[in-house]
Amino acid sequence: MSNPLQGAQFVLAAHRISQLPADQGAEVAFAGRSNAGKSSALNALTNHKGLARTSKTPGRTQQMVAFSLPPPVQVDGQPPLDVRLIDLPGYGYAKVPLEMREHWKLEIDAYLHQRRSLRGLVLIVDIRHPLKEFDRLMLEFCFATQLPCHLLLTKADKLSRGQATQALAALRKQFAAEGLHATAQVFSSSAGTGVDEARQAVMTLLRQPREGAPQGR
């Protein structure tokens, strides 16, 4: 299967949302705790091992990083759009100074509320652990603002196939019980599990018009 995310390129790293590329076209943001495997997932999806920085030390993504995708991506038959992937700062790593963590929190909040080209969120969650507070906040925000969300349950290679399947089923059951509307899948960047499925999910997010688009505050 061809890779629709092939050819992604680094554009810039922004400390504030005002430094991001022009708010036009369509983009999908990647969010997750700093040790959940977000950078590895981005590299696997784009088939570019060096696109997003990976490290044995969590918390390396300390800015919002924009990657451009090659055209064409069309929405409702319209001409090709500027399309991007946005890597949001990893959240929750204790060794990051409190001041920096507070800055990330404010900027991520502002990004999610104000960015009109944002079409969807890919939330990275370690399959071996229950949802954390940050994960729940992201899911609740997406539900409240009608922003589509797709979960990648990463590091599935650390579990047996049966355990991974059970974890996915339990998460979907949890969504139904709590009234949350998000899609989810098993994923492993190292084993290649679910990579094609995740690529198609990202493209689906990019191609759809944004409903309930945010307003600047």
Side-chain angles (χ1 to χ4, degrees):
M1 181 182 297
S2 62
N3 181 4
L5 303 181
Q6 190 83 33
Q9 293 185 340
F10 171 83
V11 177
L12 56 80
H15 191 61
R16 300 186 183 279
I17 61 170
S18 59
Q19 299 168 336
L20 287 171
D23 193 3
Q24 61 188 22
E27 63 193 30
V28 167
F30 285 71
R33 290 178 59 84
S34 54
N35 57 353
K38 179 162 54 66
S39 295
S40 295
L42 271 164
N43 290 343
L45 292 175
T46 58
N47 196 28
H48 190 326
K49 292 183 179 180
L51 187 71
R53 295 193 306 174
T54 60
S55 173
K56 294 182 179 179
T57 302
R60 287 291 300 276
T61 304
Q62 299 185 9
Q63 294 175 301
M64 293 172 283
V65 183
F67 305 102
S68 64
L69 292 175
V73 174
Q74 294 186 338
V75 175
D76 292 340
Q78 298 302 311
L81 296 174
D82 293 333
V83 289
R84 295 171 297 275
L85 304 178
I86 303 293
D87 185 8
L88 298 177
Y91 189 79
Y93 187 53
K95 291 186 178 181
V96 174
L98 177 61
E99 182 179 357
M100 179 63 75
R101 278 186 281 157
E102 288 301 313
H103 170 76
W104 290 351
K105 183 178 179 180
L106 291 173
E107 287 300 313
I108 291 175
D109 182 75
Y111 171 81
L112 293 173
H113 279 93
Q114 299 175 21
R115 193 73 173 171
R116 300 190 65 85
S117 54
L118 178 63
R119 301 301 176 87
L121 182 75
V122 176
L123 184 59
I124 309 298
V125 176
D126 189 327
I127 195 172
R128 299 170 296 176
H129 305 297
L131 295 176
K132 306 294 186 181
E133 180 183 6
F134 173 79
D135 305 323
R136 290 181 175 278
L137 288 173
M138 292 294 101
L139 287 167
E140 290 170 2
F141 172 85
C142 290
F143 176 72
T145 60
Q146 302 178 49
L147 180 68
C149 181
H150 185 70
L151 267 74
L152 298 186
L153 294 176
T154 59
K155 306 186 181 183
D157 56 289
K158 305 296 184 181
L159 302 179
S160 69
R161 181 177 297 181
Q163 289 173 324
T165 300
Q166 290 176 1
L168 177 60
L171 181 65
R172 288 173 171 166
K173 184 177 180 179
Q174 182 179 355
F175 284 173
E178 298 181 11
L180 297 173
H181 299 282
T183 55
Q185 66 164 101
V186 170
F187 186 88
S188 169
S189 56
S190 59
T193 305
V195 171
D196 286 336
E197 179 184 352
R199 287 168 179 164
Q200 292 306 314
V202 171
M203 294 305 297
T204 296
L205 294 176
L206 285 170
R207 288 192 174 107
Q208 64 184 0
R210 175 72 187 272
E211 297 179 2
Q215 302 293 326
R217 295 189 298 178

